[in-house]
């Protein structure tokens, strides 16, 4: 873990969404001033996994929000797609389980994101939004 300017995280999230979700309407909210202490590689890997997953299932829009609390950072990514299967929400992500018929995806993105969040002292929360769509919240505790 190292100190990272929030403006750097904001720019990287913008670039990631441009690359992975360029056909979707994107709403990005991230504080641009200040710094956090994170493992940069873990954060980026989780962000790329969650943004890529949301972009794959979204109908037309994604929402990405970074929230700072006293000792942790939340990365919330929501989409307007069909939502997560109930078994995924109940049991959590597992390797090689996927709801997609696309054989190029093996369900590893959510699973590895969960493991990386736990390695950073946090966790991954998957939910379906009341109005439809999926929501993933990655929690990273500061070291």
């Amino acid at each position: 873990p190292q100190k990272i300017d929030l403006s750097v995280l904001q720019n990287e999230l913008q670039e990631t969404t441009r690359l992975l979700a360029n056909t979707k309407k994107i709403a990005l909210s991230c504080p641009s001033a200040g710094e956090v202490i994170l493992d940069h590689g873990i954060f980026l890997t989780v962000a790329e996994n969650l943004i890529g997953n949301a972009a794959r299932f979204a109908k037309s829009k994604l929402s990405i929000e970074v929230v700072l609390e006293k000792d942790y950072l939340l990365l919330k990514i929501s989409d307007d797609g069909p939502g997560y299967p109930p078994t995924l929400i109940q049991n959590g992500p597992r390797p090689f389980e996927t709801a997609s018929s696309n054989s190029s995806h093996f369900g590893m993105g959510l699973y590895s994101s969960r493991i990386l969040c736990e390695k950073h002292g946090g966790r991954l929360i998957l939910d379906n939004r009341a109005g439809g769509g999926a929501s993933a919240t990655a929690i990273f505790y500061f070291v």
Side-chain angles (χ1 to χ4, degrees), residues 58-123:
K59 292 178 192 171
S60 62
K61 59 186 174 180
L62 297 174
S63 172
I64 301 164
E65 182 181 10
V66 174
V67 178
L68 293 178
E69 296 293 336
K70 182 181 177 185
D71 54 354
Y72 58 93
L73 178 144
L74 298 174
L75 173 63
K76 299 179 182 184
I77 300 179
S78 303
D79 65 60
D80 64 349
Y84 295 117
T87 56
L88 182 61
I89 292 174
Q90 287 177 332
N91 302 329
R94 296 172 187 225
F96 306 109
E97 286 186 16
T98 179
S100 173
S101 60
N102 185 342
S103 63
S104 67
H105 297 284
F106 299 104
M108 294 302 291
L110 291 176
Y111 175 72
S112 62
S113 293
R114 185 191 90 195
I115 298 299
L116 290 171
C117 287
E118 290 171 358
K119 183 164 179 62
H120 211 293
R123 61 191 197 130

Side-chain angles (χ1 to χ4, degrees), residues 1-16 30 34-49 51 66 73 75 113 116-117 119-120 138 140-143:
Q2 299 177 5
K3 287 184 181 180
I4 302 170
D5 286 337
L6 287 168
S7 62
V8 170
L9 295 184
Q10 182 181 32
N11 290 336
E12 289 171 335
L13 289 171
Q14 286 173 335
E15 181 65 12
T16 299
C30 179
E35 60 187 19
V36 293
I37 299 173
L38 290 175
D39 183 306
H40 196 207
I42 287 177
F43 176 85
L44 285 180
T45 300
V46 171
E48 288 173 5
N49 285 340
I51 291 168
V66 174
L73 178 144
L75 173 63
S113 293
L116 290 171
C117 287
K119 183 164 179 62
H120 211 293
F140 303 91
Y141 279 92
F142 301 150
V143 182

Side-chain angles (χ1 to χ4, degrees), residues 15-26 51-52 54-56 60 62 64:
E15 181 65 12
T16 299
T17 56
R18 187 186 67 75
L19 293 171
L20 298 178
N22 64 348
T23 62
K24 311 294 183 197
K25 181 179 177 185
I26 308 296
I51 291 168
R56 196 165 51 255
S60 62
L62 297 174
I64 301 164

